[in-house]
Short mmCIF file of all heavy atoms in Angstrom, two decimals:
data_model
loop_
_atom_site.label_atom_id
_atom_site.label_comp_id
_atom_site.label_asym_id
_atom_site.label_seq_id
_atom_site.Cartn_x
_atom_site.Cartn_y
_atom_site.Cartn_z
N TYR A 1339 54.26 -169.07 -169.48
CA TYR A 1339 53.93 -170.11 -168.48
C TYR A 1339 54.72 -171.34 -168.84
O TYR A 1339 54.58 -171.88 -169.97
CB TYR A 1339 52.43 -170.35 -168.51
CG TYR A 1339 51.92 -171.45 -167.54
CD1 TYR A 1339 52.49 -171.60 -166.26
CD2 TYR A 1339 50.91 -172.29 -167.93
CE1 TYR A 1339 52.05 -172.59 -165.44
CE2 TYR A 1339 50.42 -173.27 -167.08
CZ TYR A 1339 51.02 -173.42 -165.78
OH TYR A 1339 50.58 -174.39 -164.94
N LEU A 1340 55.56 -171.85 -167.93
CA LEU A 1340 56.29 -173.08 -168.11
C LEU A 1340 55.36 -174.22 -167.80
O LEU A 1340 54.87 -174.35 -166.66
CB LEU A 1340 57.51 -173.14 -167.19
CG LEU A 1340 58.74 -172.28 -167.59
CD1 LEU A 1340 59.19 -172.54 -169.03
CD2 LEU A 1340 58.54 -170.84 -167.31
N THR A 1341 55.01 -175.06 -168.76
CA THR A 1341 54.02 -176.11 -168.60
C THR A 1341 54.30 -177.24 -169.58
O THR A 1341 54.78 -177.01 -170.70
CB THR A 1341 52.58 -175.55 -168.82
OG1 THR A 1341 51.70 -176.63 -169.01
CG2 THR A 1341 52.52 -174.72 -170.11
N PRO A 1342 54.01 -178.48 -169.14
CA PRO A 1342 54.17 -179.61 -170.07
C PRO A 1342 53.30 -179.48 -171.31
O PRO A 1342 53.54 -180.18 -172.31
CB PRO A 1342 53.80 -180.86 -169.26
CG PRO A 1342 53.16 -180.35 -168.02
CD PRO A 1342 53.60 -178.95 -167.81
N GLY A 1366 54.43 -173.17 -162.27
CA GLY A 1366 53.28 -173.87 -161.70
C GLY A 1366 53.73 -174.81 -160.60
O GLY A 1366 54.84 -175.22 -160.50
N ARG A 1367 52.75 -175.09 -159.70
CA ARG A 1367 52.90 -176.09 -158.63
C ARG A 1367 51.61 -176.89 -158.52
O ARG A 1367 50.62 -176.50 -159.21
CB ARG A 1367 53.23 -175.44 -157.26
CG ARG A 1367 54.69 -175.05 -157.15
CD ARG A 1367 55.55 -176.24 -156.66
NE ARG A 1367 56.95 -176.08 -157.07
CZ ARG A 1367 57.93 -176.97 -156.67
NH1 ARG A 1367 57.60 -177.95 -155.88
NH2 ARG A 1367 59.11 -176.76 -157.08
N TYR A 1368 51.56 -177.87 -157.70
CA TYR A 1368 50.35 -178.72 -157.53
C TYR A 1368 49.90 -179.31 -158.88
O TYR A 1368 50.75 -179.84 -159.61
CB TYR A 1368 49.23 -177.88 -156.84
CG TYR A 1368 49.67 -177.02 -155.70
CD1 TYR A 1368 49.56 -175.66 -155.78
CD2 TYR A 1368 50.27 -177.65 -154.59
CE1 TYR A 1368 50.02 -174.86 -154.71
CE2 TYR A 1368 50.71 -176.84 -153.53
CZ TYR A 1368 50.59 -175.46 -153.60
OH TYR A 1368 51.02 -174.68 -152.60
N GLU A 1369 48.62 -179.12 -159.25
CA GLU A 1369 48.13 -179.63 -160.51
C GLU A 1369 48.18 -178.55 -161.61
O GLU A 1369 47.60 -178.73 -162.74
CB GLU A 1369 46.71 -180.17 -160.40
CG GLU A 1369 46.53 -181.23 -159.25
CD GLU A 1369 47.53 -182.35 -159.33
OE1 GLU A 1369 47.68 -182.90 -160.45
OE2 GLU A 1369 48.06 -182.70 -158.27
N GLY A 1370 48.81 -177.43 -161.32
CA GLY A 1370 48.89 -176.32 -162.31
C GLY A 1370 47.97 -175.15 -161.91
O GLY A 1370 47.48 -175.08 -160.79
N ILE A 1384 55.42 -172.77 -172.79
CA ILE A 1384 56.68 -173.49 -173.21
C ILE A 1384 56.98 -174.67 -172.27
O ILE A 1384 56.81 -174.52 -171.08
CB ILE A 1384 57.87 -172.56 -173.21
CG1 ILE A 1384 57.71 -171.45 -174.28
CG2 ILE A 1384 59.20 -173.29 -173.43
CD1 ILE A 1384 58.77 -170.34 -174.32
N SER A 1385 57.35 -175.82 -172.88
CA SER A 1385 57.72 -176.98 -172.13
C SER A 1385 59.21 -177.34 -172.38
O SER A 1385 59.68 -177.25 -173.50
CB SER A 1385 56.92 -178.20 -172.56
OG SER A 1385 57.48 -179.40 -172.05
N ILE A 1386 59.92 -177.71 -171.32
CA ILE A 1386 61.33 -178.08 -171.50
C ILE A 1386 61.51 -179.59 -171.80
O ILE A 1386 62.63 -180.07 -172.01
CB ILE A 1386 62.26 -177.69 -170.36
CG1 ILE A 1386 61.82 -178.42 -168.99
CG2 ILE A 1386 62.24 -176.17 -170.16
CD1 ILE A 1386 62.95 -178.45 -168.02
N GLY A 1387 60.44 -180.38 -171.82
CA GLY A 1387 60.53 -181.76 -172.13
C GLY A 1387 59.48 -182.65 -171.54
O GLY A 1387 58.69 -182.18 -170.74
N ASP A 1388 59.46 -183.91 -171.98
CA ASP A 1388 58.37 -184.79 -171.61
C ASP A 1388 58.73 -185.69 -170.44
O ASP A 1388 59.17 -186.85 -170.62
CB ASP A 1388 57.94 -185.69 -172.88
CG ASP A 1388 57.40 -184.80 -173.96
OD1 ASP A 1388 56.99 -183.68 -173.70
OD2 ASP A 1388 57.42 -185.30 -175.12
N TYR A 1389 58.55 -185.20 -169.23
CA TYR A 1389 58.73 -185.91 -167.97
C TYR A 1389 57.98 -185.20 -166.93
O TYR A 1389 57.58 -184.03 -167.11
CB TYR A 1389 60.20 -186.02 -167.61
CG TYR A 1389 61.01 -184.85 -168.07
CD1 TYR A 1389 60.94 -183.58 -167.43
CD2 TYR A 1389 61.90 -184.97 -169.19
CE1 TYR A 1389 61.63 -182.50 -167.93
CE2 TYR A 1389 62.59 -183.90 -169.66
CZ TYR A 1389 62.46 -182.65 -169.03
OH TYR A 1389 63.16 -181.58 -169.53
N VAL A 1390 57.66 -185.86 -165.85
CA VAL A 1390 56.89 -185.23 -164.76
C VAL A 1390 57.81 -184.49 -163.81
O VAL A 1390 58.88 -185.06 -163.38
CB VAL A 1390 56.06 -186.30 -163.98
CG1 VAL A 1390 55.27 -185.59 -162.87
CG2 VAL A 1390 55.11 -187.00 -164.95
N LEU A 1391 57.50 -183.23 -163.54
CA LEU A 1391 58.27 -182.42 -162.60
C LEU A 1391 57.36 -182.10 -161.38
O LEU A 1391 56.13 -182.19 -161.47
CB LEU A 1391 58.73 -181.13 -163.23
CG LEU A 1391 59.76 -181.23 -164.38
CD1 LEU A 1391 60.05 -179.84 -164.94
CD2 LEU A 1391 61.06 -181.91 -163.91
N THR A 1392 57.97 -181.65 -160.27
CA THR A 1392 57.21 -181.21 -159.10
C THR A 1392 56.79 -179.76 -159.25
O THR A 1392 55.94 -179.29 -158.48
CB THR A 1392 58.00 -181.39 -157.83
OG1 THR A 1392 59.24 -180.68 -157.91
CG2 THR A 1392 58.26 -182.87 -157.56
N GLY A 1393 57.40 -179.03 -160.17
CA GLY A 1393 57.09 -177.59 -160.38
C GLY A 1393 57.76 -177.04 -161.57
O GLY A 1393 58.67 -177.69 -162.14
N GLY A 1394 57.38 -175.85 -161.99
CA GLY A 1394 57.95 -175.22 -163.16
C GLY A 1394 59.23 -174.46 -162.92
O GLY A 1394 59.84 -173.94 -163.86
N ALA A 1397 62.31 -175.64 -164.82
CA ALA A 1397 62.12 -175.32 -166.22
C ALA A 1397 62.41 -173.81 -166.52
O ALA A 1397 63.05 -173.49 -167.50
CB ALA A 1397 60.67 -175.64 -166.63
N1 4FN B 881 55.02 -179.95 -164.55
C1 4FN B 881 53.21 -184.83 -168.18
C2 4FN B 881 51.86 -184.96 -168.16
C3 4FN B 881 51.09 -184.43 -167.17
C4 4FN B 881 51.67 -183.72 -166.13
C5 4FN B 881 53.07 -183.52 -166.15
C6 4FN B 881 53.74 -182.74 -165.08
C7 4FN B 881 54.53 -179.15 -162.28
C8 4FN B 881 52.36 -177.95 -161.95
C9 4FN B 881 52.78 -179.06 -164.11
C10 4FN B 881 56.85 -180.62 -166.61
C11 4FN B 881 57.63 -180.97 -167.68
C12 4FN B 881 58.21 -180.02 -168.45
C13 4FN B 881 57.15 -176.94 -167.12
C14 4FN B 881 53.83 -184.07 -167.15
C15 4FN B 881 57.17 -178.31 -167.06
C16 4FN B 881 56.60 -179.31 -166.30
C17 4FN B 881 57.98 -178.71 -168.14
C18 4FN B 881 55.69 -178.95 -165.13
C19 4FN B 881 53.50 -178.78 -161.28
C20 4FN B 881 51.73 -178.68 -163.11
C21 4FN B 881 53.98 -179.83 -163.55
C22 4FN B 881 53.20 -186.02 -170.37
C23 4FN B 881 54.94 -184.34 -169.92
C24 4FN B 881 54.98 -186.51 -168.74
C25 4FN B 881 53.48 -181.25 -163.15
C26 4FN B 881 54.11 -185.40 -169.30
N2 4FN B 881 58.41 -177.56 -168.79
N3 4FN B 881 52.97 -182.01 -164.27
O1 4FN B 881 54.94 -182.72 -164.99
O2 4FN B 881 55.54 -177.79 -164.79
O3 4FN B 881 57.91 -176.51 -168.15
#
Side-chain angles (χ1 to χ4, degrees):
Y1339 178 39
L1340 284 309
T1341 165
R1367 280 276 157 174
Y1368 317 116
E1369 308 305 316
I1384 295 176
S1385 166
I1386 63 158
D1388 296 340
Y1389 28 74
V1390 179
L1391 295 177
T1392 56

